[in-house]
Amino acid sequence: MADDKSKRGAADRNKVAAGEPYEVSYFAKKHGISPDQAQKIIDKHGPDRDAANKAAERLK
């Protein structure tokens, strides 16, 4: 599902749009992991940014 750019704010910041390459790339850079690892985390934990962040921190 594509990121709806008309929806902004706190609710949107709490989600990671796995279908948007720039979001996956940003998430990977933020955590110092590969884009493939980032995509797997997002696929496994869904769009919940907090859950994905915690999973990425465990990789370090």
Side-chain angles (χ1 to χ4, degrees), residues 24 28 33-43:
V24 175
I33 60 177
S34 74
D36 286 338
Q37 288 174 310
Q39 186 68 53
K40 286 178 185 175
I41 288 171
I42 295 166
D43 290 344

Side-chain angles (χ1 to χ4, degrees), residues 1 4-5 9 20 26 28-29 45-46 54-55:
M1 173 175 11
D4 184 350
K5 296 195 182 16
E20 297 291 343
Y26 171 79
K29 284 182 185 179
H45 295 281
K54 288 175 185 173

Side-chain angles (χ1 to χ4, degrees), residues 20-32:
E20 297 291 343
Y22 68 90
E23 288 219 25
V24 175
S25 177
Y26 171 79
F27 184 82
K29 284 182 185 179
K30 175 182 174 183
H31 292 287

